[in-house]
Amino acid sequence: MVSKSVPSSDTLIPREDISSLLHIVFNAKTSQASLDASYALTDLIKQDVGYRGLENYRVLDEIKQAAKDKKSGTRRESSMILLGALFERLPPKQAATEVIFLQPDGFVALALDALTDKGAVVKESAQYALDALFANLTSEALVVGLLPVILAYLERKSAKWQGAVAALELMARMAEKAKVGMDSKEVAKDKEILREAMGKRLAGLIPIVENGMHDLKAEVSKQAIKTMTSLTTLLTNDDVAPRIPLLIQTMRDPSTATLQKAIHALSQTTFVAVVTSPVLALLTPLLERSLNTPTTSQEVLRQTVVVVENLTKLVHDPVEARTFLPKLKPGVKAVQERASLPEVRELAMRAVEVIDKAMKNDNGQNSAADGANLRTTVEDVQNIFDNAMKTHKWSAKRTKDEALLQLMKPYICGMVAEDVNLREHSRVRRCIEPYLQCVTDEFDKATAVADLVQKHFVEEDYRRYGEPVKEDSDVVEIVNANFSLAYGGMLLLSHTNLRLLKGHRYGLCGRNGAGKSTLMRSIAEGKLEGFPSKDELKTCFVEHNQGEDADLSILEFVSKDPELAATGKERISEVLAEVGFTAGPTGRQQEKVGSLSGGWKMKLALARAMLMGADVLLLDEPTNHLDVGNVKWLQEYLKNHTQITSLIVSHDSGFLDEVCTDIYHYEGKKLVGYKGNLADFVKVKPEAKSYYTLTASNAQFKFPPPGLLTGVKSMTRSIVRMSNVTYTYPGASKPSLHNVTCALSLSSRTAIIGANGAGKSTLVKLLTGEVIPQEGKVEKHPNLRIGYIKQHALEHVEMHTEKTPNQYLQWRYANGDDREVLMKQTRVLTPEDKAQMEKFVDLGEGRGSRRVENIMGRQKWKKSFQYEVKWIGMLPKHNSQVSRETLLEWGFAKLVQEFDDHEASREGLGFRELSPKVIAKHFEDLGLDPDIANHNEISGLSGGQKVKVVLAGAMWNNPHLLVLDEPTNFLDRDSLGGLAVAIRDFKGGVVMISHNDEFVGALCPEQWHVAEGRVTHKGHLALVADRFEDSRPGSTVSSATASAVNSGAEDGGDMKFKAKKKKKKLTRNQVKEQEVRRKLRHIEWLNSPKGTPHPVDTDDEA
């Protein structure tokens, strides 16, 4: 088996020992005995001569011969057992053996071929060998070493189907291993490198796996589909994720119908996330096929070029643009030149311009050259590697070592290139040192070469991206925490770092649902790993909380706080006075907590934080509900207290610009820090410009059309009117609103402006029927549907937190009515109303007095309505038609209003199907992911997501008037832009309360200023249209019609809505008489003096 010659200098072990162990391995009677001998042989080689023994003792040759021995199943099994033992025990100690094992058409292919063996024990041993090798390879080795071997095997024409299935399974295991999870930091880093490296190779992997999906062997096809599904997990793009099953189905069945379906689904996708090479690798073949297929319809071509344009806008890496966009450009160019529809040609022209722009750098030059410089290639690394070896006068003492070194170079340099391109320079040394130590006795030189290569690439990284900013010597670090954060089954942050310096003010930026408030709450509750406890660092969470004890006075409420037990009332009163709560028996400190507006509640929370003497302030949307003056006060407070560190979540770009010294941004489940305020951050990350413009490009809201209102033919006709209204809260000494008169129409875009506590929310509650005025009246169109979102929007859903958003909407509209409308104060029957229902009324038609049971129907009558009234104790045939005015005069206003609301809801919901699928689509139109709407409980949603739930609930019945009380609270910048564009394009009326000048200035030409209980109207204001991204710079729009409703120009003095009369059909004789009259008029006109106007022919003659 092994020749018994004298050992050479490379073979220190007697050949007899090796020969004896090999004999036992291949002739053992049991698998266990063969395995034990294999382990003994491997340990002997590992401890003495290392990798050289594999060739010198012809161990690998013996394995190859035994594996191909068709006569002996035992030898074939033993060859795989020995190969598995070598795979398991040699690479950890002899890294160079990886290169020997991972040669193309080498030992991995041998093991894959063994899986086709008829003997079960042979297949089991071969699988053991592959598993052992897979477990020992690093992320870099898997991608640089194993993956090419798998691909080469799959492209082999001689490969049997069992081997192809195993190769596809290995590829799937690599993708599965790269999945994000709650692992240790080291494991998470390995996964990230594997995920990124495989993602960059996806363009080459997908065609090979797709071929497998069409294999005639069912087992291969089935495994290829599984592998493709695993590969798609490398895409960390939330926009494409919901479409992946459809895209895989399109690959599996590449018909025209499936391709059209996939393109349509992509055209309906709002692309928000940055598009990287894995996404392009998946989508480019489909888009290319659609563009280049001659039979593709014009509509599908239109959708395809739109998808190409939208994707290209989000490709930020010039290398990735250079790799994929040239494949799409010829097809788009062909559509531009040959499409039959002008609209499609125009869209294709736009797409070509976007592609050209993406392919060029800031100087207008093609980015190919620049892109090449942004990536470190294997050749680049090899040059540096060779120079490092020359510097340290490397020379191999053995010819075989030199041969292996030349074999290892591409392998080592490939791994180093992966780490350098991912900027993981700390891993470079481990990709070089253990391999070089196998081919030299001078271990110090191996270390020196590895260090020199690593140092070069660290310096190169500094040259490209700049050195890390050095902190001032007097800066005090108070937090340096490494942690992962999850909510439920959702991983929000993975192995990220949060570093806080004393006196710095950090803005925390990210989309809704990224986990900003969850992070703040985890810190406040002491649950964040690595964050100092409250004993070490005083931390106070300032958030919106509507759970206060409403009956306590403000002073009592703060004094009752257990964390302030040691603080005297005198000190508490001083601090309250400092933030605006006046002291004394008649001061604001004695007012009830429940009477405070949202702005004053926020100031109360800030006062509590001041009393606690916090080292770290956690501010969650601190400017929500604050007017301009109070926002200014808060800015000055934060800037002047330089010993307090602040972590701030806010969607107010002006506030973040003013106060922040640093920005932390959510990027790929990491917190990435940037120096400076929000403006400085946007300069570095231009894609974050949505913080300054209102755009629907990142989040689109689609409001349903409001529908018609009976008798309302003009957009400026009043549909809601308040006349001389005065309202005083129970227990208050003076009215909140006094003698207010105003009106709204379908064209209204009205902002209600005023200081905190001025009465803005009270005005809205009176308009919507939430409260009843003590003086004056509020009138509205009988069929008017109002969508109302309260100031504390979460109140709408706080009783339904155990429901999913879909279940909440089903509950709210289950009976055809909006249950929230029926819960309003103006709809609840008081004891006086119930007594009214007991009264007898007489219609004066001779049937005597009767009691009203209910209203059964309604129809138009003259300029108003008449209602079908059911009487108690009488059959339906005795129902009476009673006019609206009569019922109101009798005192049945709430009964009439309830029926009007029912009819209005019935009209609005006439085309709405209350099914989970339709509801999920409605939530998607309002910016909430359908999966979240269907499966996540409301209690687990972020503030911004809950606001979207409330907004979707308000818009479900197609309202004519949208009433928004502080709509910008809790919404991130992307959602804010989407909401602004949706309001701008909405065909109904909108009235809002907001302190966000950017939002109001872009939307509302009419403003109602509330101060000291009085309302002042200001109309004809110019809109600042350039705040929208899709407007021309510097453009303004003035709206006169928006304020016409309050001028009384079309009011007519009442709220009567005249229905259009039906034309009365004429009899035959009447038609003849009408024709005779027309002829006589025409003859009379012919005999009249020249220039007399022709009389108008009308069907109205009597």
Side-chain angles (χ1 to χ4, degrees):
M1 189 174 292
V2 176
S3 60
K4 298 182 179 180
S5 59
V6 179
S8 68
S9 59
D10 290 347
T11 56
L12 307 178
I13 310 166
R15 289 183 179 272
E16 292 79 3
D17 294 351
I18 299 294
S19 180
S20 173
L21 286 170
L22 283 172
H23 180 77
I24 297 171
V25 168
F26 290 114
N27 295 283
K29 293 184 178 180
T30 65
S31 300
Q32 186 60 48
S34 178
L35 180 62
D36 292 340
S38 297
Y39 280 153
L41 177 60
T42 303
D43 290 342
L44 200 59
I45 293 172
K46 178 178 67 177
Q47 291 167 8
D48 288 294
V49 294
Y51 82 91
R52 303 179 192 90
L54 297 175
E55 184 179 348
N56 292 338
Y57 297 121
R58 299 185 65 250
V59 174
L60 298 180
D61 291 338
E62 293 290 343
I63 291 174
K64 287 179 183 178
Q65 290 176 11
K68 295 176 181 178
D69 189 343
K70 295 182 179 179
K71 295 181 179 179
S72 173
T74 302
R75 279 175 59 78
R76 294 198 302 274
E77 178 195 358
S78 298
S79 69
M80 290 299 107
I81 290 175
L82 177 54
L83 188 62
L86 294 172
F87 282 173
E88 182 180 352
R89 297 201 171 182
L90 274 187
K93 294 293 184 181
Q94 289 277 312
T97 56
E98 290 177 15
V99 183
I100 297 170
F101 294 147
L102 292 173
Q103 289 302 300
D105 206 21
F107 293 96
V108 173
L110 195 70
L112 289 170
D113 284 337
L115 290 170
T116 67
D117 201 288
K118 293 180 180 178
V121 290
V122 179
K123 289 191 281 189
E124 186 179 336
S125 300
Q127 190 61 56
Y128 151 67
L130 290 171
D131 291 345
L133 180 63
F134 188 90
N136 274 328
L137 296 179
T138 63
S139 296
E140 294 92 338
L142 283 170
V143 174
V144 175
L146 182 60
L147 190 58
V149 172
I150 293 172
L151 295 177
Y153 186 87
L154 287 170
E155 290 175 337
R156 245 175 42 175
K157 292 182 179 179
S158 60
K160 293 186 178 180
W161 68 264
Q162 296 97 330
V165 168
L168 288 167
E169 191 178 355
L170 274 174
M171 194 187 299
R173 282 175 64 184
M174 290 175 65
E176 292 292 327
K177 185 177 179 179
K179 270 187 178 178
V180 177
M182 290 293 287
D183 306 290
S184 67
K185 187 175 181 180
E186 189 64 31
V187 172
K189 181 58 66 179
D190 278 338
K191 287 187 172 187
E192 183 181 347
I193 289 171
L194 182 58
R195 187 165 58 251
E196 292 290 334
M198 284 194 74
K200 287 180 171 58
R201 288 165 171 76
L202 212 51
L205 302 180
I206 286 177
I208 293 174
V209 179
E210 190 175 357
N211 285 339
M213 293 167 73
H214 304 141
D215 198 281
L216 296 176
K217 197 69 180 177
E219 289 87 347
V220 176
S221 175
K222 190 175 179 181
Q223 181 58 51
I225 293 168
K226 289 181 180 177
T227 302
M228 186 66 78
T229 304
S230 297
L231 288 176
T232 56
T233 62
L234 299 170
L235 278 67
T236 54
N237 189 298
D238 294 336
D239 306 328
V240 179
R243 313 296 184 193
I244 283 174
L246 180 59
L247 297 175
I248 292 176
Q249 179 60 34
T250 305
M251 294 179 195
R252 186 180 180 183
D253 177 21
S255 63
T256 303
T258 56
L259 180 61
Q260 288 180 356
K261 194 173 179 182
I263 295 295
H264 176 72
L266 290 172
S267 70
Q268 299 299 308
T269 302
T270 302
F271 291 100
V272 178
V274 173
V275 173
T276 53
S277 57
V279 177
L280 290 169
L282 182 67
L283 299 184
T284 298
L286 296 174
L287 296 170
E288 199 175 357
R289 182 147 58 96
S290 177
L291 290 168
N292 297 330
T293 303
T295 56
T296 305
S297 68
Q298 292 294 300
E299 175 59 22
V300 176
L301 283 176
R302 185 190 68 79
Q303 294 171 350
T304 306
V305 294
V306 167
V307 172
V308 171
E309 181 186 358
N310 291 339
L311 280 174
T312 306
K313 286 179 179 176
L314 292 167
V315 179
H316 294 163
D317 189 322
V319 177
E320 291 168 352
R322 181 171 59 92
T323 304
F324 293 97
L325 297 184
K327 298 177 184 178
L328 296 173
K329 186 177 177 180
V332 179
K333 193 80 173 170
V335 173
Q336 180 189 351
E337 294 169 353
R338 296 195 290 269
S340 58
L341 295 178
E343 179 198 3
V344 178
R345 293 199 298 272
E346 185 179 345
L347 289 170
M349 182 179 70
R350 274 173 35 193
V352 170
E353 290 173 357
V354 172
I355 290 173
D356 287 339
K357 185 177 179 181
M359 297 278 287
K360 293 178 181 177
N361 58 22
D362 294 338
N363 299 321
Q365 301 299 318
N366 193 294
S367 64
D370 291 347
N373 293 330
L374 291 173
R375 285 278 186 272
T376 299
T377 64
V378 176
E379 291 73 22
D380 295 334
V381 178
Q382 191 155 334
N383 290 334
I384 304 304
F385 183 75
D386 290 340
N387 290 335
M389 296 187 79
K390 287 178 184 176
T391 301
H392 290 284
K393 299 178 181 177
W394 178 280
S395 61
K397 292 185 177 180
R398 304 174 182 86
T399 306
K400 290 178 182 176
D401 287 349
E402 182 61 34
L404 181 60
L405 179 61
Q406 296 306 316
L407 199 63
M408 283 196 300
K409 274 186 182 180
Y411 183 79
I412 291 172
C413 295
M415 293 192 294
V416 171
E418 290 298 329
D419 287 336
V420 170
N421 286 324
L422 293 172
R423 302 183 67 188
E424 294 294 337
H425 303 100
S426 60
R427 298 172 68 98
V428 168
R429 179 174 173 175
R430 72 175 77 172
C431 292
I432 301 175
E433 185 181 23
Y435 297 89
L436 292 185
Q437 287 179 347
C438 294
V439 292
T440 183
D441 296 330
E442 299 177 279
F443 289 174
D444 292 345
K445 279 192 178 181
T447 303
V449 170
D451 288 342
L452 190 58
V453 173
Q454 179 171 315
K455 181 183 177 185
H456 169 84
F457 285 112
V458 168
E459 291 173 352
E460 180 67 16
D461 187 77
Y462 289 167
R463 187 183 65 78
R464 286 184 185 178
Y465 305 104
E467 290 191 47
V469 178
K470 294 180 180 179
E471 302 289 352
D472 296 333
S473 56
D474 57 346
V475 166
V476 179
E477 180 183 275
I478 57 173
V479 177
N480 194 340
N482 293 298
F483 62 94
S484 293
L485 183 68
Y487 185 87
M490 190 184 303
L491 184 65
L492 301 173
L493 291 168
S494 175
H495 299 285
T496 194
N497 176 263
L498 177 66
R499 183 169 181 260
L500 302 182
L501 303 178
K502 189 170 185 177
H504 283 227
R505 299 177 293 278
Y506 298 86
L508 195 58
C509 297
R511 58 177 175 78
N512 276 344
K516 302 184 294 294
S517 295
T518 304
L519 173 60
M520 304 268 268
R521 194 167 287 107
S522 298
I523 293 172
E525 294 172 357
K527 295 179 179 177
L528 193 72
E529 179 187 355
F531 199 94
S533 66
K534 285 193 175 183
D535 296 334
E536 302 173 56
L537 197 69
K538 197 75 171 177
T539 305
C540 184
F541 189 17
V542 181
E543 63 173 336
H544 292 274
N545 179 14
Q546 282 80 52
E548 292 96 348
D549 197 337
D551 295 328
L552 290 176
S553 72
I554 292 162
L555 185 59
E556 289 173 345
F557 170 75
V558 179
S559 303
K560 185 183 170 185
D561 191 325
E563 293 195 46
L564 301 175
T567 308
K569 272 198 176 185
E570 189 175 327
R571 172 61 183 155
I572 292 173
S573 180
E574 285 178 13
V575 173
L576 286 172
E578 187 180 332
V579 298
F581 293 94
T582 52
T586 58
R588 194 180 279 272
Q589 291 182 19
Q590 300 305 318
E591 292 182 8
K592 306 292 186 189
V593 172
S595 68
L596 293 178
S597 67
W600 281 102
K601 285 181 179 177
M602 175 49 67
K603 294 184 80 172
L604 183 60
L606 287 167
R608 176 178 168 273
M610 291 168 64
L611 284 162
M612 288 177 64
D615 298 311
V616 178
L617 278 182
L618 306 174
L619 301 166
D620 190 6
E621 299 293 354
T623 61
N624 281 4
H625 313 300
L626 293 183
D627 57 27
V628 176
N630 283 319
V631 170
K632 182 69 176 173
W633 171 86
L634 178 59
Q635 290 172 357
E636 294 304 319
Y637 173 82
L638 292 174
K639 288 193 291 184
N640 292 335
H641 288 73
T642 54
Q643 296 304 306
I644 298 177
T645 302
S646 306
L647 191 60
I648 306 164
V649 172
S650 177
H651 299 126
D652 185 338
S653 54
F655 179 75
L656 292 177
D657 257 347
E658 187 66 29
V659 303
C660 287
T661 59
D662 305 83
I663 297 291
Y664 268 119
H665 190 235
Y666 278 71
E667 296 176 18
K669 303 192 186 304
K670 302 285 185 187
L671 286 178
V672 182
Y674 297 87
K675 288 287 181 185
N677 62 7
L678 188 65
D680 299 324
F681 164 61
V682 173
K683 288 176 186 175
V684 179
K685 298 279 286 186
E687 58 268 29
K689 66 179 180 180
S690 61
Y691 280 100
Y692 286 101
T693 57
L694 297 171
T695 172
S697 60
N698 291 346
Q700 290 183 343
F701 288 10
K702 298 176 186 174
F703 286 174
L708 299 175
L709 267 176
T710 308
V712 179
K713 302 182 183 69
S714 169
M715 290 292 286
T716 57
R717 177 76 185 274
S718 297
I719 54 176
V720 180
R721 185 189 302 163
M722 290 174 60
S723 304
N724 304 317
V725 165
T726 297
Y727 180 78
T728 307
Y729 276 103
S733 58
K734 60 180 182 179
S736 293
L737 292 172
H738 180 71
N739 197 29
V740 175
T741 299
C742 56
L744 294 167
S745 71
L746 288 173
S747 68
S748 291
R749 292 291 185 275
T750 304
I752 303 176
I753 309 295
N756 292 130
K760 304 183 297 297
S761 296
T762 305
L763 177 58
V764 164
K765 288 178 180 178
L766 287 164
L767 278 170
T768 57
E770 292 284 313
V771 295
I772 307 167
Q774 286 96 0
E775 296 179 27
K777 61 179 180 178
V778 180
E779 304 167 277
K780 74 179 186 68
H781 189 291
N783 283 9
L784 180 68
R785 295 186 296 277
I786 298 176
Y788 175 42
I789 297 181
K790 300 177 183 177
Q791 180 184 39
H792 303 296
L794 311 189
E795 287 181 7
H796 291 272
V797 293
E798 64 184 5
M799 295 188 295
H800 309 279
T801 52
E802 77 290 347
K803 295 184 177 76
T804 65
N806 202 311
Q807 291 168 344
Y808 163 70
L809 207 63
Q810 290 182 56
W811 168 87
R812 183 166 167 177
Y813 291 97
N815 302 318
D817 294 304
D818 185 351
R819 289 192 182 182
E820 288 208 353
V821 172
L822 303 179
M823 293 164 65
K824 290 181 180 179
Q825 193 175 340
T826 50
R827 307 297 186 268
V828 178
L829 294 180
T830 62
E832 292 78 10
D833 296 323
K834 292 176 182 177
Q836 177 66 30
M837 294 296 292
E838 300 297 322
K839 289 183 180 178
F840 285 81
V841 294
D842 189 354
L843 270 177
E845 55 184 9
R847 295 187 183 181
S849 298
R850 290 159 287 179
R851 282 166 55 204
V852 174
E853 182 178 332
N854 211 343
I855 295 177
M856 309 304 294
R858 186 185 74 176
Q859 64 184 31
K860 283 299 294 180
W861 184 69
K862 295 184 179 179
K863 292 185 177 182
S864 181
F865 290 99
Q866 61 181 8
Y867 296 80
E868 182 184 348
V869 176
K870 170 79 170 60
W871 306 102
I872 290 178
M874 300 183 74
L875 295 173
K877 66 180 181 179
H878 299 297
N879 290 0
S880 304
Q881 296 290 340
V882 183
S883 70
R884 178 186 181 88
E885 289 71 22
T886 302
L887 285 170
L888 295 178
E889 187 181 328
W890 286 346
F892 293 106
K894 286 189 177 177
L895 200 63
V896 170
Q897 187 63 63
E898 183 183 345
F899 191 82
D900 285 345
D901 289 338
H902 174 74
E903 286 296 290
S905 283
R906 185 177 63 79
E907 284 185 12
L909 299 172
F911 301 99
R912 286 286 200 183
E913 181 187 347
L914 201 67
S915 66
K917 188 175 180 180
V918 176
I919 293 172
K921 180 65 174 69
H922 177 66
F923 276 114
E924 189 175 14
D925 288 344
L926 272 302
L928 189 68
D929 186 274
D931 285 339
I932 293 175
N934 290 336
H935 305 298
N936 291 31
E937 291 186 358
I938 291 173
S939 59
L941 303 185
S942 70
Q945 289 169 331
K946 287 177 182 175
V947 170
K948 291 176 184 177
V949 173
V950 173
L951 190 60
M955 299 303 295
W956 175 256
N957 66 347
N958 304 337
H960 301 102
L961 181 65
L962 188 56
V963 182
L964 305 167
D965 195 346
E966 298 283 9
T968 59
N969 292 352
F970 299 107
L971 290 179
D972 61 17
R973 288 294 306 188
D974 292 338
S975 299
L976 190 63
L979 177 63
V981 173
I983 289 174
R984 183 189 66 181
D985 299 338
F986 182 50
K987 303 302 181 186
V990 179
V991 59
M992 67 174 76
I993 297 173
S994 180
H995 296 302
N996 189 323
D997 179 62
E998 175 191 20
F999 196 72
V1000 168
L1003 291 170
C1004 299
E1006 182 180 7
Q1007 296 182 1
W1008 298 350
H1009 288 257
V1010 183
E1012 298 180 355
R1014 306 279 181 175
V1015 177
T1016 308
H1017 301 276
K1018 292 185 179 181
H1020 303 271
L1021 300 177
L1023 294 178
V1024 188
D1026 60 357
R1027 287 177 181 168
F1028 289 100
E1029 191 180 49
D1030 55 3
S1031 298
R1032 296 187 308 276
S1035 59
T1036 58
V1037 180
S1038 180
S1039 174
T1041 57
S1043 58
V1045 64
N1046 286 305
S1047 68
E1050 299 189 35
D1051 291 352
D1054 56 28
M1055 289 286 286
K1056 305 279 172 80
F1057 297 91
K1058 188 175 181 179
K1060 187 177 180 181
K1061 289 183 179 179
K1062 289 183 179 178
K1063 288 184 179 179
K1064 189 176 180 182
K1065 190 174 181 181
L1066 302 178
T1067 64
R1068 186 181 300 174
N1069 287 337
Q1070 286 173 326
V1071 171
K1072 286 181 179 179
E1073 290 171 2
Q1074 187 183 59
E1075 191 61 35
V1076 169
R1077 287 197 299 274
R1078 288 180 177 173
K1079 286 180 180 178
L1080 289 172
R1081 276 201 305 274
H1082 185 66
I1083 292 168
E1084 185 181 347
W1085 176 72
L1086 290 173
N1087 294 326
S1088 65
K1090 190 174 181 181
T1092 303
H1094 192 287
V1096 178
D1097 279 338
T1098 171
D1099 296 332
D1100 210 16
E1101 300 93 351

